[in-house]
Amino acid sequence: MKKFRKVLDGLTTSSPGGTIGSPSCGSAAGTPTAAPTPKDIDVQETLVSENFQLCKTVRHGFPYQPTALAFDPVQKLLAIGSRSGGVRILGRPGVDCYCQHESGAAVLQLQFLINEGALVTACADDTLHLWNLRQRRPAILHSLKFNRERITFCHLPFQSKWLYVGTERGNTHIVNIESFILSGYVIMWNKAIELSTKTHPGPVVHLSDSPKDEGKLLIGFESGTVVQWDLRVKKADFRIYYDEAIHSVGWHHEGKQFMCSHSDGSLTMWNLRNTTKPFQVTFPHGKIQKDGRKESCKPILKVEYKTSRNSEPFIIFSGGLSYDKAGRRPTLTIMHGKAITVLEMDYPIVEFMALCETPYNNEVQEPYAVVVLLEKDLIVVDLTQSNFPVFENPYPMDIHESPVTCTAYFAECPPDIIPILYSIGAKHKKTGYSQKEWPVSGGTWTLGSHTYPEIIITGHADGSIKFWDASAITLQMLYKLKTSKVFEKPKVGEGRAAELVEEDPFAVQMVSWCPKSRIFCVVGISSHIILYRFSKYDANTQIVSLELRLQCESEDVNSPSENENTPCFSEPGSHSPQPHQQPASPGSGTLEGIKDSIPYLKVKDRVVRVPPGYQAELVIQLLWTDGDPPQQITSLDINSAYGLLAFGNCNGLAVVDYLQKTILLCMSTLDLYGTADPYQRLTRSPRRNRQSTSGKFCMRGLSNFYSDSKKRIRTSYQSLTELSDNQQSIDMERSKSPTSDHVNGHCTSPTSQPCSAGKPRIPMGQEGPRLTRRGPGRPPFRKAQSAACMEISLPVSHTEESRENSFSRSRSSSVSSIDRDTKEAITTLQFGESYGRKSDAQPTPCLWVGTSLGVVLLIPMSIPTEQEERMEESVTIGPSGTVMMLKGSVLRFGFLDCMGAHIQSPYEVWRDLNAPEDPDRPRRRKLVNFSPSSSQDACGEGHLAVVCSERQAKVFLMPSQSCLFVHNITESSFVLRADIVSVSNSVCLACFCANGHVMTLSLPSLRPLMDVNYLPMTDMRIARTFCFTNGGQALYLSSPTEIQRVTYSQEMCDNLQEMLGELFTPTETPEAQNRGFLKGFFGGNANTFDREELFGEAAAGKASRSLAQHIPGQVGMEGMKVAASGVVGDLARARIALDERGQRLGELEDRTALMMTSAETFSKHAHELMLKCKDKKWYQF
């Protein structure tokens, strides 16, 4: 038990981490306060650095930019390679492994060692790698780097340890898989072709051994040359020269003929008896034109020729369509007898592969499915049914169906929420899938003992929301919500949405979800907020819409008396609250002025039928003002117990009562201070009247969200030139444009009027003359000031370098910028039971407000407790004048009791408002309140408030507002994400910095527990999507299509081996079919081919050392224990090895016993025959 003693004496205007001119931690307005009574804070901190370790757990989604495909027909495993050097190995649901080449070179080709638990990868840096799959986390055993030649194609025959490698120069090398050493046997290109040939045949594009004779190797060159090389006698059996370039070759299983695909869209069939010309040439998609000529077709990139016992052969190929129609979809063609089926794909085909019953190439193949790898999808087609249906994909390959724009991660959810979401989402699933089981069924996976309900929420560019079951390191789609259904479809050429938003006006910017009350809130890119309630019943409902201005205004300096009785909004329940006595804007008489008071999107104003699930109840939209679009919403919090929703942007703060559908508060950030403003703000004269600026806005795109998209979507800022640090240039700029009020990309303080929604609010205190200014004519973002604003204000970058540069340059000190301007955005909000004032004796509902200038404001509220009063009486709310200071923008709040336990926000227990009424049990609100005073018997009243900013973390004691602990998190970088999370039955502060560091700090003492440089380069996608959750877990979008989950808990790292699936399962290799005496006699001597005798060092010699370099893997056979990451993996592998050995020994014993029995029977019969025939003469037989 560690004891932290902090004697709180009189506080002065200087505090740890404070700046000159800033108030102290415990001062409301920068003046010294009376010394509180000394108090001991005894907290038992159980977390130590040994409780933390950072490691990746699992990756979900579709492999980004796939390049290669392979399948193990015995183990039933599928491997996908990507352009970034990643390899995904998939088996049955739950078996999903991600491997990464350290070089990051693109994967060109994959080859399984069938039923051996190993995989060979060929990469674009001309390196071969051998991966060991007999462990839960695969590792590289060997690598071979080619120095002088580029690898173009690889082929590994079944049950062979010699790998054929074709190169760009046309040569074919042979590699020993066991030692990963190059053989001295080389098939040079000039030996393969005729000496009379004057041109180079081009790179090797195909290698395969003849099904009829393994000693014959078929080599296909790009130019159209095909050579069958006799490996024994080292010469060519035949050579084929064809006019069209070859892309692929497919054998008939008997080895007497093969098929080639060409660049002109043709397929040629060749017979080994006569190789002078093809005996069949077909253009599957080529039509005969009027002049008698064939129309030109696209290349057939790959063809597979598979035979079947009970039907005609399958000829499957990609490409080959005619050029006549532009914009045709990519296709996969299946020719089965006379039937030709063309399957259109949504994305270009990267690779495909037919799945067959046998691994032997000299047997009838019997294809049952074909795996098609597309650029952004993976599908499997069922070949056993005539209509060729697709299998339902059990993997979460559609995360990127619409680009992901935000993520949220919730661990330790209520156990009933996942089944309910799944049951509702299952009603909307697609149908028409194949009824057969998913054919990729390799590996083993068990649920494990360390599981709890987890949910991941993803928001998308099309406005859709997806709920995913993330329990037990798997991912399964539960429920999909479309926010666009709340709005009318924008007509082309009408409204603001059509004027400024070309695509994706419904893009999701952030979400807020309370799993216990099932209240869900969505913030959209068009400055709108949608509140959803969950119901198991469908209903007819009319969505209530509230519209408000949170925007800069154009007014001179006004005294409070001018607007004293002017309500900011209309009466509660109004559809569109508007100021009653708003002064006319300069453009009010123009068409622009008429269009001002409208939102981006139009909410459906009729009664709509909503299905079970999340049903929209309230929509809040920000309005245009003077031709200026509303600034994007930067912060949001909702509390079901209070029935309140708060949000803010760079202009100010608004609080909405969603039970009464009224607006309680709408104030600028400056007006929230009252007399407690800690900064000396510079005044400005009002800007001149200007003409309408409609159509002149420069709209940014969502490239921050997804790099490969060209969509342009409105965001509420415009990239301008950066401010100079020279004060003279700043003054000159101000003199040129009095309205360009900037500080790090935040708006100046907007107009604020006293808010009234039916009843007067708490007086704000006596204030001096209030400055109300018009904001800039165009959205004024130049730099990002806070992590929250960073999400919408960092410049768009199309290259990694420029993105990184803009990311680092867009920061500046929050405090040092105060002298230049008065901009201040609301960066974080938190409802909770706290003490709004130092004099408060009991905790009351409060709203904690954090700003981009590092200021923390407290807003106490008075909320009726009875249900009837809550629906009739108004909630009173007003700033208290309490101000606390930190360095950098405030990112997160958290509350602890004086024993160090985390205090959760109060919530309302979920109740279905659409359920049938029960007279005996009327539905009433049931609130669960976690008051700080409930656990304070030992240490008296009060609680601890944890506040984290971009650079600093502080712990305050409430209600005295005394700063107990301070920790400067970073000086050279800034924090992107911070959260108070539970780890190992305790709590800590987890932070993710822009320089890639992941840190954890103890609470409440803020001791550093972990600091790991996890991501050396942080791009915009990771910055936007990184989020922490309880249980020591986190996630981020590692690519536009993949979610990477990580853990920073040592306990979970230790249990990770148990949670991961086993890739390799001991399986008996199927025996080859008995070919029969005649087939074996006339079919060649395939079984007598000894590769070791030909390719071994004794016969072929050693290869040149300069040709390739052998690189031992990081884990050899002795280092496998380390790669398995723990004793659990060692024991599991040893158990599997023993099981496998025991199984083989058992099979051997059974076979031996069977042979002995057969021998005894044969001996007995032979003896009886001898006794019967020993006395007979030869002529008696």
Side-chain angles (χ1 to χ4, degrees), residues 185-351:
Y185 192 113
V186 183
I187 305 173
M188 304 299 291
W189 68 270
N190 55 351
K191 299 290 182 64
I193 65 173
E194 290 181 342
L195 297 177
S196 59
T197 305
K198 297 181 180 181
T199 58
H200 190 279
V204 175
V205 296
H206 177 80
L207 292 169
S208 61
D209 52 334
S210 170
K212 188 176 179 180
D213 186 355
E214 293 179 346
K216 312 282 187 176
L217 183 66
L218 193 71
I219 307 173
F221 297 93
E222 189 180 56
S223 63
T225 302
V226 178
V227 176
Q228 181 167 288
W229 183 264
D230 191 326
L231 295 168
R232 299 182 187 87
V233 299
K234 300 182 181 179
K235 69 175 185 178
D237 286 345
F238 63 82
R239 299 178 178 89
I240 295 174
Y241 299 97
Y242 196 68
D243 295 336
E244 295 294 334
I246 289 178
H247 287 281
S248 68
V249 179
W251 277 100
H252 188 278
H253 79 276
E254 294 180 350
K256 298 177 181 179
Q257 59 188 27
F258 59 88
M259 178 180 291
C260 300
S261 68
H262 300 277
S263 58
D264 62 345
S266 65
L267 296 174
T268 57
M269 289 281 289
W270 301 83
N271 196 310
L272 267 59
R273 293 180 179 179
N274 181 11
T275 57
T276 57
K277 65 178 181 178
F279 73 87
Q280 184 180 351
V281 180
T282 58
F283 288 81
H285 296 296
K287 299 177 182 178
I288 300 178
Q289 298 176 345
K290 295 180 180 179
D291 55 2
R293 292 185 302 175
K294 290 275 187 180
E295 61 181 346
S296 59
C297 296
K298 298 177 182 178
I300 295 179
L301 301 178
K302 183 178 181 180
V303 64
E304 291 210 354
Y305 188 19
K306 303 297 181 184
T307 53
S308 179
R309 285 190 182 89
N310 303 321
S311 64
E312 296 289 331
F314 283 88
I315 299 174
I316 309 169
F317 62 89
S318 61
L321 293 178
S322 60
Y323 283 102
D324 59 345
K325 294 182 180 179
R328 296 185 68 174
R329 286 184 170 188
T331 60
L332 181 78
T333 305
I334 302 174
M335 299 174 63
H336 189 211
K338 295 182 179 180
I340 299 179
T341 304
V342 179
L343 303 178
E344 290 190 340
M345 304 296 169
D346 293 332
Y347 307 102
I349 297 175
V350 176
E351 175 73 283

Side-chain angles (χ1 to χ4, degrees), residues 134-137 1054 1057-1058 1062 1120-1121 1123-1136:
R134 296 195 177 209
Q135 54 194 58
R136 294 179 188 254
R137 286 186 174 271
D1054 295 339
Q1057 290 296 319
E1058 178 187 346
E1062 287 276 3
M1120 301 260 289
K1121 298 178 182 178
S1125 301
V1127 180
V1128 177
D1130 295 336
L1131 293 177
R1133 275 198 318 282
R1135 174 178 54 79
I1136 291 173

Side-chain angles (χ1 to χ4, degrees), residues 496 499-500 551 592 596 600 624-631 690-700 712 714-718 776-780:
R496 293 288 185 187
E499 191 175 313
L500 293 172
Q551 189 75 7
E592 187 67 36
D596 269 341
Y600 267 101
W624 283 62
T625 304
D626 290 340
D628 292 336
Q631 299 289 345
R690 58 172 177 80
Q691 298 297 324
S692 168
T693 58
S694 175
K696 297 181 182 178
F697 296 100
C698 176
M699 294 303 154
R700 281 289 186 182
R712 294 175 55 214
R714 180 199 59 79
T715 58
S716 62
Y717 69 93
Q718 183 181 19
R778 298 185 180 184

Side-chain angles (χ1 to χ4, degrees), residues 453-473:
E454 300 175 69
I455 288 181
I456 294 173
I457 299 177
T458 55
H460 300 265
D462 64 352
S464 61
I465 306 284
K466 291 182 180 179
F467 290 77
W468 305 84
D469 178 10
S471 308
I473 69 170

Side-chain angles (χ1 to χ4, degrees), residues 444 1062 1064-1066 1131-1141:
T444 56
E1062 287 276 3
F1064 180 77
T1065 54
L1131 293 177
R1133 275 198 318 282
R1135 174 178 54 79
I1136 291 173
L1138 288 174
D1139 292 344
E1140 184 179 354
R1141 182 183 179 190

Side-chain angles (χ1 to χ4, degrees), residues 20 196 311 322 341 373 424 608 701 708 814 896 904 916 1140 1142 1176:
I20 298 175
S196 59
S311 64
S322 60
T341 304
L373 178 64
I424 293 177
V608 293
D708 60 339
S814 304
L896 310 175
Q904 300 181 21
E1140 184 179 354
K1176 291 185 179 181

Side-chain angles (χ1 to χ4, degrees), residues 570-572 660 663-664 755-762 864 869 872-877:
S570 59
E571 293 302 311
Q660 298 186 21
I663 300 168
L664 301 177
C755 291
S756 173
K759 294 191 177 183
R761 305 297 176 213
I762 296 176
E869 296 178 356
E872 296 176 0
E873 297 185 9
S874 299
V875 175
T876 55
I877 179 172

